[in-house]
């Protein structure tokens, strides 16, 4: 199933988005509702709160006195952490149970106000952030909720900053305008991204690839790669040694196709096979028939260049995932090539000119295969001797991992 993490600051409009997604067919897991559920009378959560904070946290009916508990933790990081240590694991357990009960082809949306603060982004296929400027949210809190400016500012300050939420977002829904404008964005997200993504997950197939069109370098590529790498690493921490951003989008200043290339380092190809279903569940199904790189003169043994290849099922974010054994020739080449381009401006220009020439030559091609095939000899005939000499001269070595 497709798992979406939905978050946003107070008064951002997150509840409006959640309701619309339910209307369109999503299964909603509401963290706030679950947080109330797990501290109802005769629950483990309420018992633990009383043990930690005292019986004074109960009202006359034996229910949790929320205002009193709020006063006890507000502005006190240690007491707030103690409360979160009780409630958050219970909420996550209930959320997991609801998710497990959903259909295999469902779009499950978890509404989590503190998703960023609790570092849960890597658990989802996508993180959707409902965003509005702080001054707009402040106005809403005062006009619609009757809060004082001081109280509103305190609530905003108690949450993650707007910048922190945007940095965690795969999708940003702008709610600085009208409600209808926000709903239109939700509908477009559902129709163009979430439904096709969910379908591709069920079918175990990657989304279509963009053509051989080069775009100027974007700093956002590194940010996206970091989020996606964290998601992949969380899928199988016992099997994955590292996830590295490689390829053209990893080199500042280099024009590239809008495709994130990631290298997943594993112990051996047996680990790569075990990893395959976990990557597929995380949104990166295997692509069969791409199981080796072209050997280079320094190591012509084909077995040193074997790999497994996966690609993203998300129709709006092209990602290639190269799973290689740490220490193999292919693994080493990918890292050396990236670092060589990053370190040597002449190499960067040489490769950039070559890419631009081929992109112009194959601009009308419906697929990237002719472009990729034409580019391949350059890696052996031009790049390999130059980057090998650079590595020897600089003492470059790839990373090592604990045994």
């Amino acid at each position: 199933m497709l798992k979406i993490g939905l978050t946003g600051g107070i008064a951002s409009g997150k509840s409006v988005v959640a309701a619309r997604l339910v209307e369109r067919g999503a299964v909603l897991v509401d963290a706030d509702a679950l947080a109330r559920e797990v501290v109802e009378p005769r629950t483990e959560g309420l018992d633990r709160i009383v043990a930690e904070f005292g019986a004074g946290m109960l009202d006359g009916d034996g229910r949790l006195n929320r205002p009193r508990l709020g006063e006890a933790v507000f502005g006190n990081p240690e007491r707030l952490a103690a409360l979160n240590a009780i409630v958050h694991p219970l909420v996550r357990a209930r959320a997991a149970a609801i998710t497990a009960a959903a259909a295999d082809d469902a779009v499950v949306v978890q509404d989590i106000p503190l998703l960023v603060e609790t570092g849960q982004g890597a658990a989802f296929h996508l993180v959707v952030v409902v965003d509005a400027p702080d001054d707009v949210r402040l106005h809403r809190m005062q006009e619609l909720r009757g809060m004082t400016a001081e109280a509103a500012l305190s609530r905003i300050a108690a949450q993650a900053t707007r910048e922190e939420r945007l940095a965690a977002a795969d999708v940003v829904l702008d709610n600085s305008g009208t409600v209808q404008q926000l709903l239109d964005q939700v509908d477009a997200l559902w129709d163009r991204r979430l439904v096709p993504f969910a379908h591709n997950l069920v079918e175990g197939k990657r989304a279509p690839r963009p053509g051989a069109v080069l775009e100027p370098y974007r700093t956002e590529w590194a940010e996206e790669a970091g989020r996606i790498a964290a998601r992949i690493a969380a899928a199988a921490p016992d099997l994955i040694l590292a996830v590295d951003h490689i390829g053209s989008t990893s080199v500042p200043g280099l024009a590239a196709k809008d495709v994130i290339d990631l290298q997943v380092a594993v112990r051996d190809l047996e680990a790569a096979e075990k990893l395959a279903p976990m990557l597929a569940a995380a949104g990166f199904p295997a692509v069969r028939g791409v199981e080796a790189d072209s050997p280079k003169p320094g190591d012509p043994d084909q077995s040193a260049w074997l790999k497994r290849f996966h690609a993203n099922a998300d129709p709006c974010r092209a990602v290639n995932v190269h799973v290689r054994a740490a220490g193999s020739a292919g693994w080493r080449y990918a890292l050396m090539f990236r670092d060589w381009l990053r370190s040597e401006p002449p190499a960067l220009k040489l490769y950039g000119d070559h890419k631009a020439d081929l992109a112009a030559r194959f601009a009308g091609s419906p697929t990237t295969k002719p472009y990729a095939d034409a580019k391949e000899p350059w890696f052996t005939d031009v790049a390999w001797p130059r980057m090998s000499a650079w590595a020897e001269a600089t003492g470059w070595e790839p990373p090592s991992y604990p045994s």
Side-chain angles (χ1 to χ4, degrees):
M1 63 189 68
L2 183 64
K3 300 176 184 178
I4 305 299
L6 174 65
T7 194
I10 184 171
S12 64
K14 179 169 55 61
S15 60
V16 174
V17 172
R20 185 63 154 203
L21 288 170
V22 171
E23 289 178 7
R24 296 305 307 270
V27 174
L28 179 65
V29 180
D30 187 331
D32 277 347
L34 295 182
R36 293 189 292 271
E37 176 185 317
V38 299
V39 294
E40 286 292 305
R42 296 177 297 281
T43 61
E44 174 191 354
L46 186 59
D47 290 344
R48 290 177 60 188
I49 287 176
V50 170
E52 178 69 32
F53 292 91
M57 294 299 111
L58 300 178
D59 63 17
D61 297 323
R63 305 182 71 85
L64 181 64
N65 188 319
R66 295 181 182 278
R68 193 174 300 162
L69 179 61
E71 292 173 1
V73 302
F74 187 76
N76 189 328
E78 291 185 2
R79 302 309 284 154
L80 179 59
L83 176 62
N84 289 342
I86 295 170
V87 175
H88 288 171
L90 296 173
V91 169
R92 291 181 188 181
R94 282 290 296 124
I98 295 171
T99 300
D104 290 344
D105 60 350
V107 176
V108 178
V109 176
Q110 292 199 34
D111 180 343
I112 307 177
L114 300 181
L115 183 149
V116 174
E117 292 87 338
T118 53
Q120 298 183 60
F124 300 97
H125 293 102
L126 292 173
V127 170
V128 177
V129 170
V130 187
D131 177 61
D134 289 350
D135 61 333
V136 172
R137 295 164 56 214
L138 181 63
H139 175 75
R140 290 171 181 165
M141 294 165 73
Q142 293 177 272
E143 295 297 316
L144 303 179
R145 303 190 184 190
M147 298 177 68
T148 66
E150 182 180 8
L153 288 170
S154 295
R155 293 291 298 275
I156 289 175
Q159 296 184 331
T161 66
R162 185 185 183 198
E163 290 72 23
E164 288 170 335
R165 277 191 296 272
L166 293 177
D170 299 291
V171 178
V172 177
L173 300 177
D174 176 17
N175 189 24
S176 59
T178 67
V179 172
Q180 188 57 53
Q181 288 172 329
L182 178 61
L183 295 177
D184 289 344
Q185 292 176 69
V186 178
D187 289 341
L189 172 65
W190 180 265
D191 293 332
R192 300 172 189 172
R193 191 166 192 176
L194 301 189
V195 170
F197 196 167
H199 176 75
N200 289 341
L201 278 180
V202 172
E203 296 294 323
K205 67 179 184 181
R206 68 176 180 178
R209 306 282 87 185
V213 177
L214 301 183
E215 299 184 11
Y217 175 79
R218 302 203 303 261
T219 57
E220 291 82 4
W221 283 333
E223 297 167 0
E224 289 182 274
R227 289 196 301 270
I228 298 166
R231 193 164 291 143
I232 289 174
D238 295 337
L239 292 174
I240 294 174
L241 301 175
V243 184
D244 291 293
H245 187 195
I246 60 170
S248 294
T249 57
S250 72
V251 181
L254 182 62
K257 301 192 305 297
D258 187 19
V259 180
I260 303 295
D261 279 273
L262 298 172
Q263 176 166 268
V264 175
V266 293
R267 295 289 178 197
D268 48 39
L269 288 183
E270 181 180 352
E273 292 294 341
K274 292 179 181 177
L275 179 60
M278 301 174 194
L279 284 180
F284 305 92
V287 179
R288 299 303 177 187
V290 185
E291 299 187 340
D293 299 303
S294 299
K296 305 300 182 287
D299 195 341
D301 182 0
Q302 180 67 74
S303 65
W305 299 85
L306 298 178
K307 69 176 182 180
R308 296 297 180 264
F309 183 65
H310 296 247
N312 206 349
D314 181 357
C316 295
R317 175 66 275 165
V319 180
N320 295 329
V321 180
H322 310 262
V323 184
R324 298 183 174 106
S328 68
W331 168 84
R332 181 183 175 91
Y333 185 100
L335 296 173
M336 185 195 300
F337 183 69
R338 177 199 66 187
D339 292 351
W340 173 57
L341 293 179
R342 286 177 173 178
S343 300
E344 295 290 302
L348 178 64
K349 183 179 186 310
L350 186 69
Y351 185 46
D353 290 346
H354 179 62
K355 284 162 60 73
D357 177 65
L358 293 180
R361 191 186 312 174
F362 297 104
S365 175
T367 70
T368 60
K369 190 175 187 309
Y371 167 84
D373 289 347
K375 192 169 60 171
E376 186 60 36
W378 188 91
F379 292 114
T380 300
D381 300 336
V382 178
W384 176 252
R386 287 172 169 79
M387 60 191 276
S388 297
W390 166 83
E392 183 175 357
T394 60
W396 177 89
E397 287 292 339
S400 58
Y401 308 114
S403 57

